[in-house]
Structures are given as C-alpha cells and as structure tokens.
Amino acid sequence: MAPAKLSGFCKQGNDWLYNARLPSDITIIVDGVKFHLHKFPLMSKCGKIACMLEEMQSIHDRTFTTKLEEFPGGSDTFLFAAKFCYGIQVEFTARNIITVYCAADYLEMTDEYGEDNLLSKAESFFHKNVLHNWKDCVLALQSCESCMPRAEKLHILQKCLNAVSTMVCTDPSLFGWPMMMYGSLQSPGGSILWNGINTGAKIRSAESDWWFEDISYFSVGLFERLIKTMEARGIRSEYLAGAVMYYARKFLPGLGRWQSRPSSKARTVASFSLIPAAVDQRDLLENIEKLLPKKKGKSFCRFLLGLLRVASILGVNRTCLDSLERRIGMQLELAGLDGLLIPSFSNSDTLYDTDCVERIIHHFLSSESGLTLFSPPSLDLLSSPSFEPLRKVARLIDNYLAEVASDVNLKPGKIRSLAEVLPDSSRTLHDGLYRALDIYFKAHPWLSDREKEVLCNIIDYGKLSIDACAHASQNKRLPLRVVLQVLFFEQLHLRAALAGCLNVLEAESAPMRQGIAPTEIAGNVTATGETSQRIVQRDGWVTIVRENQVLKVDMERMRSRVGELEDKVSKIKLEMKKVKKSRNSLSSPCIVAGKFGCKPLSKSSDSQTDVVGSTGPTPRPSFEQPHSSRHSGHRKSLSLFRDLTLGS
C-alpha cells in the first residue's frame, strides 16, 4: 500500500514521516501516534522540545524519543504545529484556532524562538477574526472541549463567552452576521443584494431567539458557563429562560408536548456546520434546573411541569425534584390540569403521583402565607385580587380530584387529604368537591355507608349550588343521612332566595304606593336583596314557590318512607321476640296444667302491662321487661300445679 502524502508529510500505518533525504533523529509520540521528525526544525520553533534536547545532551544516542502527555488537540493539532515548524503553509480556522493556540502555548512556540511564531499568529487571528464574528466564535467554543483547562488558563474561553454574550444583546443585522433568511446576499450596508445589485431593501430585525439554535450545540458544561456569563452581563431573564427551555427540549425528547414547537426555519449558517454534543440526560436535567431563572408565566409553568414529569422518569436526585416542585408551587395558579396529571413511576399502585401534587400544594400555600385567611372569609377578602390565585388553585385541585377519582387503587384517605389541604375559605362553592366524590363513589362501589359519610364530611352542604343539591337529592350512591342533609340545605337555599325576592318586590312597590321616585330610594336596597336578584329574576318568584312546595312534598314522602322502614324493623324485632318467648315457654308449668284440663290463672297486672307494652303499635319497642312480675307468675303456676297433683 502506497503511503499517503500530505504537504511533505506521509503516513505509514499509524506513523507520520517527513519526506526528506535525511534520516529522522527524533521521534515524538502523541496519543499513540509516532512522528518521525528532525531536531533542528523543531528546536528552532519549539522552546519545550529545545529544553528537552538540552537536558538529554549527555545521552549519545543518535535517535531521541519522547512522549508528550495531555497534548491539547491530540495528534491532529501536533501535526499542524510540526508542519508550521517545517515551513509548510498552514490555515487557521474557527474550528482549530483554540486548539492550535493551546498547542503553541504547550510547546512554548513564542517569538523568543522565532519571529512571527505560531503563538503570536494564533493570538492575532483569534482577536481579529474570531471574537468579532458570531459564527466563528460559536464554532471556536464548540471545538475547545478537548483543551478546556488550558483554554481556561489562557483566558481564551472567557473571552469567547464574553463576545457571545455581547453579540446576543445586539441586533445581528447591524453587523451583517449571516442569517439564513438572506444568507450572504447582503451588502456591507445591510441591504439585500440581487445578482450583485443593491436592491435598497433593508433586512428586518432578527427575532430575540435567533441565537437559541447555535448555542444548543454546546456541551452541558459549556452551555452552563455561557448562561451564567450572560446572566452576569445583565441579559434579560426571559431570554435566558427561553434558551434553557430550547436546549432542554432538544436533548430531552419527552418535553416535546410541554413546549411549543420551535420555528422550522434555520437560524444561522453555524447551525448547519455544528455537531450536536453527546449529553447524559439525567445530568442535563439536574444542571438545567439550576440554570432556570425565577420567573412566572403559563408557558414557563407548563415547561416546569413537563420537566418534573421527565425527572420522575429519569430518576434524578431528590434535591432536583424538590426544587422543581417548589418552583411549580410558587406559580400553581398558572398550571393546567394536564400538567398536574403526572403518572406514578414508583412502586405505588395508583395511576397518578398524588403525593407529588400534595407537596406542590403545600409549597403554594407557603408562598401565599402572606395572605390572611379568615374562616369564614370576609367579603372584602373574597373580592380582593390577592385572593384570586387561591380561588384558581381550588378550582384546579377540584378538577384534579375529579380526574384521579376514577382510579380504583386510590385510597379514601388520600382523596380526603388532597381535598382538605386547601383552607375552607378557598372555595366559594363545593360543587367541584361533590362532583369528585360522586365519581369516586361510582368507581368504588364497595365502600360502606360509613366510609362514604366520612368522605362527605369534607363537603359544606351550605356551599352547594341549587343544581348540585338537586342532583345530590336523587343520587342513589350517597348515604341516606347525607341525602337528608342535602335536602335540608336545599330548602334553606330556596327559602333565602324567596325571601330575597319578596324583599326586593316590597322595596320596589313601597315607594310607588307612597308616590316616591324609585331613584330616591335606590341606595336603601339591602345587601340581601341585591344578592337575591343575582339568583332569580323578578318575575320568576312564583316558580320558586312552586318548587318549594314540590320539595316539601318530596321531603314528606321521604319522612314517611323512613317511618315505614322503622316500623318494619320494629315488627321484625317483635316477631323475633315472640318466637324466642314461645321457645322458652314450651316447658313452662302452664302448658303442663293445660294438659290436665286445668284452666290457668289470669296473670297479674304487671304481666298484663308487659304484654300490652310489647304488642303495642310503638315502632321502637322497649327491651327492658319487669322481671319481678314474670317471676311471680311462674311461682303461681307452680303452686297451682302442685295442688292439682296432690288432689288427684
């Protein structure tokens, strides 16, 4: 196989040789690759190799071999430096400038060992070409991963980060940076060119997120350094949050449905020439959480919920999960129901992670601790804007309970704890709680009436709307005691509405009878009348009266039905008592006396009272019997039996 020739250098196997008639007298090993070179060209440019050769003068070996440990950029970068030492023309690019810069510093290729040496040329190209061009700066940053420590020492990395941060704050069209919407077809003044002709049309300002795509190709560590540098330079937090969200969505595919899709158009030329970095998703998520700014917003809250879902799947550390839950809790009023439905990935039997949602609610309450809550709350507090987040969270949790209630593995204690975690003043109506419990009872038909009554205790029946009361009064899944309470409060609602209507009618008709203008007494209408006007219309009070009468009839029917059931229970108990007595009396002396043809004596008054009391129509018979009268009757029967036997 013929050796590969490249600018005076040729490669044989894994070794590089320089095409010269003189034999090689020095061998340098870099990352397992051997370079068979000559001492003089290297000593004239490289201070490090010159010092090494001076130290080895005592050794008279004709060939000198050395190994360069941790060489910046590896064997490719050393080949670049060796070609420069041999006077072969080399080309600086944005991709190799940082590694060449670090390699020149490693080999000590300063001007002391030759004018316009490699270090000075690399430094000049870096400052004049790279730091003033967005594309070159981004490419240079991505290529510095292999020599990060030395680049940090030479302050090259920080200079690139500062340059990128400065350019992010500036409209790229002002500097003619290559945006893909027009490519390179633009004049130095910023006008669009057509076939080399200046059209006069100006390039429109770039979007604020034009740089998201380019920096998303960085590794996690470099991206973190860049975001912190931007934050230190005062870039707005919403831009930083957008960049972090874009980066996370790119490397965490599970976030696709939790963030709006990015624009399909390409951002810059750099986007086509960069190679995506390989990242560990768990480490990425834990670092992303630390970079997120403290901000609120619906889209940001949705992103946090998606991040929490992915974090549960990946199994990140507890600190990261707690921080995400705390961030979500601080803006829970902006969350959506679909975001809270986080599947349970632990050993729990439930479909959804209800424990996580409960912790989020606690974080929300701790963040809203400045709001004074009253029980019952005052009207001023309920109407205040500061109380609105609590009302929104209450509605959200009621909908969440209705969604998770169909889970057959959800325990009654968990649904009760979720319902009671919010204060009573957060709900003006308990219709949502009633709906959630109704769904829960339907999905758990094996619950006893006692368990259902315990769960129904979380509902304030006075806060149920008329429609909810009407539904609950006919709900067969509710215990009878709960239905009676609902009917009672429904009647109270109707009475209050009717009383309010009558007060309004009287207030409006009184000035008409007295000849007073209605505008003069407009301010004297009571708060009860104003509230009732929002419940019913003026001409609809007759309908309410009729509904109230129907409700009374239904309640009477319910009471009669309960009375009938109690009577049946009493009769059954009475029959059981008679059967028991008949069994006990089979061997009594009275029956024996009857067999001999003797008439038994009448019982005492106490005994008669006992029998009458036991067979009366009272629905609940007394089980306490006068034992003394029963014993006296037995004694009389025995004496009679003794006399009859003696007489015979």
Side-chain angles (χ1 to χ4, degrees):
M1 177 174 146
K5 186 176 181 180
L6 179 63
S7 302
F9 280 83
C10 62
K11 188 174 184 181
Q12 294 181 351
N14 200 35
D15 299 346
W16 281 97
L17 299 88
Y18 182 72
N19 294 327
R21 296 178 181 179
L22 296 176
S24 172
D25 56 1
I26 183 172
T27 301
I28 298 178
I29 304 174
V30 178
D31 292 345
V33 180
K34 294 182 179 180
F35 293 85
H36 302 280
L37 306 175
H38 303 86
K39 296 180 181 178
F40 179 74
L42 297 180
M43 292 178 62
S44 62
K45 296 289 185 179
C46 303
K48 184 178 183 66
I49 295 179
C51 293
M52 293 171 61
L53 292 175
E54 290 178 2
E55 293 176 358
M56 302 299 293
Q57 284 181 355
S58 58
I59 300 177
H60 300 288
D61 291 346
R62 188 176 181 84
T63 304
F64 174 73
T65 302
T66 185
K67 185 176 182 180
L68 301 180
E69 300 288 348
E70 299 180 356
F71 188 82
S75 59
D76 293 338
T77 306
F78 182 79
L79 178 62
F80 185 97
K83 289 162 62 177
F84 181 85
C85 293
Y86 279 90
I88 300 174
Q89 185 177 0
V90 292
E91 181 182 2
F92 293 98
T93 63
R95 290 185 181 276
N96 64 18
I97 184 59
I98 291 185
T99 55
V100 169
Y101 197 134
C102 295
D105 180 75
Y106 181 91
L107 295 174
E108 301 177 9
M109 300 178 68
T110 61
D111 290 345
E112 181 181 353
Y113 293 91
E115 188 177 356
D116 290 335
N117 210 343
L118 183 60
L119 183 60
S120 61
K121 284 183 175 293
E123 184 178 3
S124 176
F125 182 85
F126 176 76
H127 287 91
K128 292 182 179 180
N129 298 86
V130 175
L131 294 183
H132 298 284
N133 186 282
W134 168 264
K135 172 187 172 182
D136 292 342
C137 201
V138 171
L139 291 174
L141 277 174
Q142 193 196 29
S143 63
C144 72
E145 296 290 341
S146 60
C147 54
M148 189 78 74
R150 188 167 291 271
E152 190 80 44
K153 176 184 176 182
L154 297 174
H155 306 290
I156 305 175
L157 179 62
Q158 192 59 44
K159 289 179 181 179
C160 282
L161 295 175
N162 292 337
V164 169
S165 302
T166 302
M167 286 185 273
V168 162
C169 302
T170 313
D171 187 352
S173 63
L174 298 177
F175 293 88
W177 293 332
M179 303 298 292
M180 275 307 296
M181 64 178 69
Y182 301 108
S184 60
L185 301 179
Q186 56 181 335
S187 67
S191 300
I192 302 173
L193 297 179
W194 178 77
N195 289 340
I197 303 174
N198 191 345
T199 61
K202 294 293 183 180
I203 299 177
R204 65 175 181 268
S205 297
E207 299 176 0
S208 59
D209 60 347
W210 61 267
W211 47 279
F212 290 177
E213 174 69 14
D214 287 344
I215 68 172
S216 66
Y217 287 87
F218 294 160
S219 64
V220 178
L222 188 59
F223 180 82
E224 183 178 0
R225 289 283 305 271
L226 178 59
I227 293 298
K228 290 182 178 180
T229 302
M230 291 180 175
E231 185 179 6
R233 296 182 71 88
I235 295 180
R236 296 171 62 177
S237 60
E238 53 264 30
Y239 293 160
L240 299 180
V244 173
M245 293 165 64
Y246 191 95
Y247 188 84
R249 187 201 60 79
K250 185 169 186 176
F251 292 101
L252 298 174
L255 288 177
R257 58 171 298 198
W258 304 106
Q259 187 182 9
S260 58
R261 283 292 180 184
S263 177
S264 59
K265 67 179 182 180
R267 306 294 173 127
T268 68
V269 174
S271 304
F272 291 93
S273 55
L274 290 173
I275 301 174
V279 298
D280 181 81
Q281 291 186 338
R282 183 183 300 179
D283 294 339
L284 168 64
L285 200 150
E286 293 175 356
N287 285 277
I288 285 296
E289 186 277 324
K290 299 176 184 178
L291 296 177
L292 291 173
K294 295 181 179 179
K295 67 185 293 285
K296 288 187 176 183
K298 287 187 177 181
S299 60
F300 188 66
C301 183
R302 182 178 177 85
F303 170 77
L304 289 176
L305 287 167
L307 208 62
L308 179 60
R309 176 186 295 245
V310 177
S312 301
I313 298 174
L314 296 177
V316 300
N317 57 52
R318 186 70 248 177
T319 304
C320 181
L321 288 175
D322 291 340
S323 180
L324 287 174
E325 292 172 358
R326 188 178 302 106
R327 288 175 179 269
I328 296 170
M330 294 175 63
Q331 48 188 316
L332 185 57
E333 70 276 9
L334 303 175
L337 177 60
D338 56 345
L340 285 182
L341 295 175
I342 303 173
S344 178
F345 299 100
S346 60
N347 296 328
S348 176
D349 295 332
T350 57
L351 293 177
Y352 300 102
D353 194 350
T354 54
D355 294 334
C356 175
V357 174
E358 188 172 359
R359 291 192 296 268
I360 291 175
I361 299 174
H362 283 295
H363 288 308
F364 168 77
L365 294 176
S366 62
S367 65
E368 297 288 331
S369 59
L371 179 62
T372 305
L373 300 178
F374 301 93
S375 184
S378 63
L379 294 177
D380 294 338
L381 180 62
L382 289 176
S383 59
S384 63
S386 59
F387 199 76
E388 184 62 23
L390 192 58
R391 287 198 296 265
K392 289 182 178 179
V393 171
R395 290 194 294 267
L396 176 64
I397 298 306
D398 290 347
N399 293 332
Y400 177 80
L401 289 174
E403 193 69 27
V404 302
S406 58
D407 183 7
V408 294
N409 294 321
L410 185 63
K411 303 300 181 183
K414 174 54 64 176
I415 195 170
R416 179 168 183 172
S417 63
L418 283 172
E420 292 180 341
V421 67
L422 290 173
D424 295 337
S425 56
S426 61
R427 296 181 176 94
T428 55
L429 286 177
H430 279 205
D431 291 8
L433 284 179
Y434 166 71
R435 173 172 169 263
L437 289 184
D438 184 42
I439 297 174
Y440 187 77
F441 293 157
K442 184 177 181 180
H444 302 74
W446 55 83
L447 291 177
S448 63
D449 286 350
R450 177 58 182 168
E451 291 175 320
K452 291 182 179 180
E453 290 177 2
V454 171
L455 282 178
C456 289
N457 288 336
I458 65 178
I459 300 178
D460 185 355
Y461 303 107
K463 291 184 178 182
L464 290 178
S465 64
I466 296 179
D467 294 336
C469 288
H471 185 276
S473 62
Q474 301 177 2
N475 194 343
K476 297 181 181 179
R477 288 185 287 269
L478 296 180
L480 181 60
R481 184 176 301 178
V482 174
V483 173
L484 292 177
Q485 294 182 29
V486 171
L487 290 173
F488 173 75
F489 281 98
E490 185 180 10
Q491 187 177 16
L492 291 182
H493 286 322
L494 294 176
R495 285 182 179 179
L498 180 60
C501 289
L502 295 178
N503 291 337
V504 172
L505 293 176
E506 291 178 0
E508 292 182 354
S509 60
M512 301 301 294
R513 291 193 302 265
Q514 300 176 3
I516 303 175
T519 55
E520 296 180 5
I521 52 89
N524 298 328
V525 180
T526 61
T528 305
E530 294 177 357
T531 305
S532 62
Q533 280 182 323
R534 291 192 294 266
I535 301 175
V536 293
Q537 299 293 332
R538 171 182 173 182
D539 298 332
W541 66 275
V542 177
T543 305
I544 294 181
V545 173
R546 292 176 181 174
E547 292 179 354
N548 193 19
Q549 293 175 353
V550 173
L551 179 61
K552 289 182 179 180
V553 174
D554 292 340
M555 291 189 66
E556 291 297 332
R557 291 177 181 175
M558 182 67 70
R559 288 171 182 164
S560 63
R561 179 60 179 166
V562 173
E564 291 176 1
L565 293 175
E566 291 180 349
D567 291 340
K568 289 182 180 180
V569 172
S570 301
K571 290 179 181 180
I572 292 173
K573 291 181 178 179
L574 184 60
E575 292 295 332
M576 293 177 63
K577 183 178 179 181
K578 287 181 179 181
V579 171
K580 185 177 180 181
K581 284 184 177 181
S582 62
R583 290 179 179 177
N584 294 335
S585 61
L586 288 176
S587 58
S588 65
C590 296
I591 296 177
V592 177
K595 290 183 179 181
F596 285 94
C598 300
K599 297 181 179 180
L601 295 176
S602 61
K603 294 183 180 181
S604 62
S605 60
D606 293 339
S607 178
Q608 293 176 356
T609 303
D610 182 29
V611 173
V612 172
S614 63
T615 59
T618 305
R620 296 184 179 179
S622 175
F623 293 97
E624 297 180 1
Q625 304 295 342
H627 300 286
S628 60
S629 62
R630 184 183 299 174
H631 294 165
S632 62
H634 286 307
R635 283 195 296 270
K636 291 179 180 180
S637 299
L638 289 172
S639 61
L640 176 61
F641 177 73
R642 189 183 300 109
D643 294 338
L644 289 174
T645 53
L646 291 176
S648 59

